[in-house]
Structures are given as C-alpha cells and as structure tokens.
Amino acid sequence: MRLRLALLASVVLIGADLSAQTRVVVLPFRNMSHDIKYNAWNYQFADSLRAALLETDPAQKEFAIVPADSVELALADLNLDPNNPQYESDMWKAVRNLGAQKAVQGNFQLRGERVLINCYIYDMGSMMADGTNQAKDIYKSPTTFLEAIRPIVKRIRPGLTAP
C-alpha cells in the first residue's frame, strides 16, 4: 500500500511539473519582401530556431516546444499561409488551438545585399509582445541568414520561461 501511495505521489508530482511548463509554439517567419523565391525561408527560420531552442533545454524541463508537425497541422486546419496577408490576424487562433502560452514569431526582409531579421515572443494571455526578450534588427547576408539563429536564441530564451 505504501509503495502504491509513493508511486502515485511521484506520478502526481511529475504531472504537476509538466503542467507548469510553458508551452511554446514557434511559427513560420513572415517574408516581408514578398519575393516568392524566399518563401522557403519562412520554414527554414522556424525549423532552425525550434531546433536551437531545443538544444538549450533538450529534456524540455523549462519549456515545452510544440512539434513542427503539430504547428503545420494547426495552420493547415485554418488554411493559413505565412505569405497571405490574412495570416497575421488568424494565426493567433491556431496558436490558441495548440494550447500554447507563448508564441515565437519573426519576419525577414531583404534590403539590398542584406537580410533584416526580427523575432518576437508573444504572451498568449495578454496577446502582447514581450518588450524585453526580442531580437530586432539583425542583419545577415542572403547566404548567411541562418547565422541569425544563435543571436535570436540568446535574446529570446529568457522570455520563454518567464510568466
């Protein structure tokens, strides 16, 4: 009987720990240049950022990243495309459907020979962007744009565990 109670207590504690995690969804980035040859970058940014964030907490003890296939299904269910102007207003419904407390969303724009990259964390309770833990005005070349991922992670990571 004591063994059962101890086992039950440990399961309850583990369940409580998991429910206390911040559930984070990483959305495809927006192509603000509107040049369709860069549309594949939408998902390259999101996939690379998701992987880099998981490297910082592989056991997902501090926060839980929503898997990419779940994000894609939620967007597909609502027929959302990051290149469609309507995406911005309807993506929040997809995030809510995924049960996330935080959403990471970014954008990029080609400016001459450089790519301007921005990334923000949104709190789904307030629907507001985190004013301190954001990565803005990161410039890379079109051949090194994914090198922006490390500085983005460094800037936004603290905001993923904050209430």
Side-chain angles (χ1 to χ4, degrees), residues 71-84:
V71 175
E72 289 174 22
L73 280 172
L75 294 176
D77 282 346
L78 297 171
N79 198 27
L80 297 177
D81 176 359
N83 300 305
N84 185 321

Side-chain angles (χ1 to χ4, degrees), residues 91-106:
M91 72 178 179
W92 302 117
K93 185 174 181 183
V95 174
R96 279 191 297 277
N97 289 347
L98 290 166
Q101 289 83 32
K102 306 261 181 164
V104 177
Q105 190 222 14

Side-chain angles (χ1 to χ4, degrees), residues 41 113 115 140-147:
W41 289 12
E113 297 297 314
V115 181
K140 295 293 177 187
S141 75
T143 57
T144 64
F145 68 96
L146 287 177
E147 289 177 7

Side-chain angles (χ1 to χ4, degrees), residues 17-30:
D17 185 42
L18 290 176
S19 66
Q21 284 180 325
T22 302
R23 191 164 158 86
V24 178
V25 61
V26 178
L27 295 164
F29 278 45
R30 303 265 336 259

Side-chain angles (χ1 to χ4, degrees), residues 152-163:
I152 290 172
V153 168
K154 185 176 180 179
R155 293 181 192 174
I156 69 168
R157 173 74 169 76
L160 297 180
T161 56

Side-chain angles (χ1 to χ4, degrees), residues 95-149:
V95 174
R96 279 191 297 277
N97 289 347
L98 290 166
Q101 289 83 32
K102 306 261 181 164
V104 177
Q105 190 222 14
N107 59 60
F108 63 91
Q109 182 177 26
L110 272 75
R111 292 191 169 180
E113 297 297 314
R114 315 261 314 172
V115 181
L116 170 63
I117 305 154
N118 297 299
C119 185
Y120 308 92
I121 299 174
Y122 291 87
D123 179 277
M124 295 311 297
S126 66
M127 298 296 291
M128 300 287 290
D130 180 332
T132 49
N133 299 298
Q134 53 187 304
K136 290 179 64 174
D137 302 329
I138 299 173
Y139 285 91
K140 295 293 177 187
S141 75
T143 57
T144 64
F145 68 96
L146 287 177
E147 289 177 7
I149 297 301

